[in-house]
């Protein structure tokens, strides 16, 4: 049962009667009561009455019997306090529901979530963390809500770098490369220093894109080695990307010519300095000149934008997706806005089909600058995860739990702030057992499990007998609203914030209300609250991609 909906249903007719018009009662959670309605305030002007007077008339007309008591506060707010019976009935419904009151969507969509998407020649760095972690949480969330989610790992697996890498490998075995970054850097150094190597590398790219079998074989070997490496990293992070989700840039190779042909046929391309470009209206560069989206480069090759256009056309056209999400850092905002504009002009984003750039800010070091090693290099993801697990060992009873806590702490730190903001990568803060952290939530979950293990009784029906039980129950009833509210906003930090608030409310309940020593009846009811809290924390953390060990 959704309490906002229940209160709204009771207040709306009263507002309509008083205002002689349809009014949204605007029922919200409130610190001053369980819920509050501020809808009387904006009616003062149109009705020519003081808002407190309007609120009083609404109260007189509203049928809240058995559901809530109400009083007028401040300039004309309605403070609504639910009856204990409604609260108890509500949480008992949740306890009986495997989905904790969260409905599956009535309008399932096919949604492509493009995330992680590293350029595969190099090792993963902390720079890949945000897209990978945020994208995976979004995919988990939308899937749980009943959408048909297509994960897309749009790997950079087809760039000019491969000419250089294949030449550097010189017929050797890609499996033997242990340090991808060092290999890449060595190839790069040769490319920069050696004219002859440069020429051979360029010819390799031509051979690769031209379909030369020997070159392709070496390239495939390279890609396979990178994929094995990536899958291991995803597994360690508990990221759900699987081999079938790896649709890299190379996947669109044979779809690039048709894209150019279609765009040209629709009059959307112009030649500019030898390149074929689209100039979507409204995009201008520094001097005010129209900004080009380069579809075919002057050397005849295709670049990043062409591949994105082909991918978009494939996703809406072939896959039939109606929502496309691109979880990519904020600096690529303009690139995607231009791709969407060109795609819309080409008819690949018909009415009802949406493409959204799900941007995010940067990770900063404790000095407030971009997070880098002391020598100024990008920080390797593996090194970060190793350190997280090492540090978490102090909090955990076993190596397996240390892994779940360390990795969970890193992921939670990334997900718990507004994703558009930058955040500071701070070990002490993310691993703290207090505050809005992964370990704090995992600890709260483990605590609920500990109580249930120790109990001699099974959880029973929930009754409200104390204020702290009531507060916890009201908090539990808010889960569905928070989760469904994420469908459009994709603001995962709101779920994190909710779970943190729930853990705090649980902690206050646990302080105030003995569970195991409570009299029979009350004990089973409190065990019921513990169990429901644990299930809610577990489900919420699972949506964020964070594990919940049973003991901590
Ligand atoms: N490989 C790109 C990069 O490292 C990110 C790709 C994002 N997805 C996309 N469809 N363009 O910057």
């Amino acid at each position: 049962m959704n309490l906002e909906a229940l209160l709204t249903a009771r207040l709306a007719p009263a507002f309509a009667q008083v205002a002689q018009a349809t009014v949204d009662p605007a029922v919200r959670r409130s610190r001053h009561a369980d819920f509050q309605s501020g809808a009387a305030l904006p009616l003062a002007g149109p009705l020519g009455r003081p808002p407190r007077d309007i609120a009083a008339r609404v109260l007189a007309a509203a049928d809240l019997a058995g559901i809530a008591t109400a009083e007028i506060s401040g300039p004309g707010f309605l403070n609504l306090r639910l009856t204990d019976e409604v609260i108890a009935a509500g949480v008992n419904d949740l306890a009986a529901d495997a989905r904790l009151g969260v409905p599956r969507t009535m309008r399932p969509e096919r949604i492509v979530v493009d995330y992680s998407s590293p350029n595969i020649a190099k090792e993963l760095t902390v720079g890949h963390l945000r897209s990978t972690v945020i994208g995976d949480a979004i995919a988990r969330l939308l899937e749980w809500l009943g959408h048909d989610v297509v994960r897309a790992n749009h790997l950079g697996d087809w760039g000019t770098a491969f000419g250089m890498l294949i030449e550097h490998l010189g017929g050797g075995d890609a499996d033997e490369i242990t340090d991808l970054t060092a290999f890449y850097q060595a190839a790069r150094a040769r490319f920069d220093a050696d004219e002859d190597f440069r020429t051979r590398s360029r010819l390799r790219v031509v051979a690769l894109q031209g379909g030369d079998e020997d070159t392709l074989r070496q390239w495939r070997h390279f890609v396979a080695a990178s994929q094995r490496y990536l899958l291991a990293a995803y597994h360690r992070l508990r990221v759900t990307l699987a081999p079938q989700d790896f649709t890299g840039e190379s996947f669109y190779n044979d779809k690039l010519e048709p894209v150019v042909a279609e765009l040209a046929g629709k009059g959307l391309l112009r030649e500019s300095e030898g390149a074929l470009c689209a100039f979507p209206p409204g995009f201008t560069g520094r001097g005010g000149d129209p900004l080009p989206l380069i579809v075919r480069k002057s050397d005849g090759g295709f670049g990043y934008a062409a591949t994105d256009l082909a991918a978009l056309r494939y996703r809406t056209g072939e896959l039939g997706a109606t929502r496309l999400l691109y979880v990519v850092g904020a600096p690529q905002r303009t690139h995607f806005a231009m791709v969407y504009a060109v795609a819309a002009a080409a008819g690949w984003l018909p009415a009802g089909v949406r493409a959204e750039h799900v941007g995010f800010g940067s990770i900063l070091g404790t000095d407030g600058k971009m997070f880098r090693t002391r020598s100024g290099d990008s920080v390797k993801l593996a090194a970060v995860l190793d350190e997280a697990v090492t540090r978490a060992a102090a909090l955990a009873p076993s190596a397996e739990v240390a892994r779940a806590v360390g990795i969970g702490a890193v992921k939670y730190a990334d997900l718990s702030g507004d994703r558009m903001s930058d955040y500071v990568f701070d070990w002490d803060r993310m691993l703290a057992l207090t505050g809005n952290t992964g370990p704090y939530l995992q600890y709260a979950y483990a605590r609920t499990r500990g109580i249930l293990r120790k109990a001699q009784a099974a959880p029973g029906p929930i009754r409200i007998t104390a204020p702290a039980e009531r507060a916890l129950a009201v908090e539990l009833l808010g889960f569905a609203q928070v989760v469904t509210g994420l469908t459009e906003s994709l603001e995962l930090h709101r779920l994190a914030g909710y779970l943190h608030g729930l853990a705090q409310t649980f902690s206050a309940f646990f302080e105030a209300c003995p569970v195991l020593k409570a009299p029979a009846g009350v004990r089973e009811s409190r065990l019921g609250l513990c169990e429901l809290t644990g299930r809610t924390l577990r489900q919420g953390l699972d949506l964020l991609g964070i594990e919940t060990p049973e003991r901590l």
Side-chain angles (χ1 to χ4, degrees), residues 368-385:
K369 304 207 181 93
M370 288 300 272
F371 184 39
R372 293 199 178 282
T373 64
R374 225 169 285 167
S375 55
D377 296 328
S378 25
V379 182
K380 291 183 179 184
L381 185 58
V384 164
L385 300 183

Side-chain angles (χ1 to χ4, degrees), residues 132-199:
T132 305
V133 167
I134 296 169
D136 202 51
I138 289 174
R140 286 164 176 265
L141 169 83
L142 294 173
E143 204 157 63
W144 194 59
L145 288 172
H147 293 288
D148 174 12
V149 171
V150 179
R151 290 166 175 76
N153 194 4
H154 192 81
L155 303 166
D157 62 359
W158 197 241
T160 44
F162 285 95
M164 165 182 109
L165 294 167
I166 290 170
E167 275 308 307
H168 186 54
L169 194 59
D173 186 353
D175 284 336
E176 304 207 323
I177 305 170
T178 47
D179 186 338
L180 270 170
T181 310
F183 184 84
Y184 181 90
Q185 282 165 353
R188 180 86 230 174
R190 257 177 100 182
F191 188 87
D192 289 340
D194 180 346
E195 171 78 52
D196 183 47
F197 181 76
R198 220 160 27 234
T199 310

Side-chain angles (χ1 to χ4, degrees), residues 114 117-119 154 156 249 304 308 315 326 328 332 335-336:
D114 180 322
S117 308
N119 296 332
H154 192 81
E249 295 182 6
Y304 190 56
D308 260 325
R315 290 167 183 178
Y326 293 78
V328 187
Q332 293 195 36
H335 163 75
F336 285 111

Side-chain angles (χ1 to χ4, degrees), residues 396-460:
S398 71
E400 177 52 21
V401 173
R403 191 194 52 73
V405 173
I407 302 233
V410 170
K411 293 177 84 171
Y412 191 83
D414 201 285
L415 294 166
S416 53
D418 182 332
R419 68 178 145 72
M420 292 311 291
S421 311
D422 298 344
Y423 76 94
V424 172
F425 196 93
D426 180 343
W427 286 117
D428 292 334
R429 223 176 82 196
M430 71 178 76
L431 280 157
L433 269 177
T434 53
N436 190 9
T437 69
Y440 176 69
L441 295 185
Q442 287 171 324
Y443 179 66
Y445 173 75
R447 197 135 80 135
T448 67
R449 304 305 297 165
I451 300 160
L452 289 157
R453 267 196 309 273
K454 265 190 241 132
Q456 306 288 334

Side-chain angles (χ1 to χ4, degrees), residues 3 10 47 103 130 137 172 191 242 246 259 262 269 278 282 330 333 342 352 388 404 414 446 474 498-499 505 544 546:
L3 295 174
R10 295 302 178 97
L47 298 185
R130 300 216 71 186
F191 188 87
F246 285 46
V259 160
E262 190 174 337
L269 298 182
R333 170 162 300 282
V342 173
D414 201 285
V474 170
Y498 167 80
L499 295 172
T505 313
L544 296 177
I546 292 170

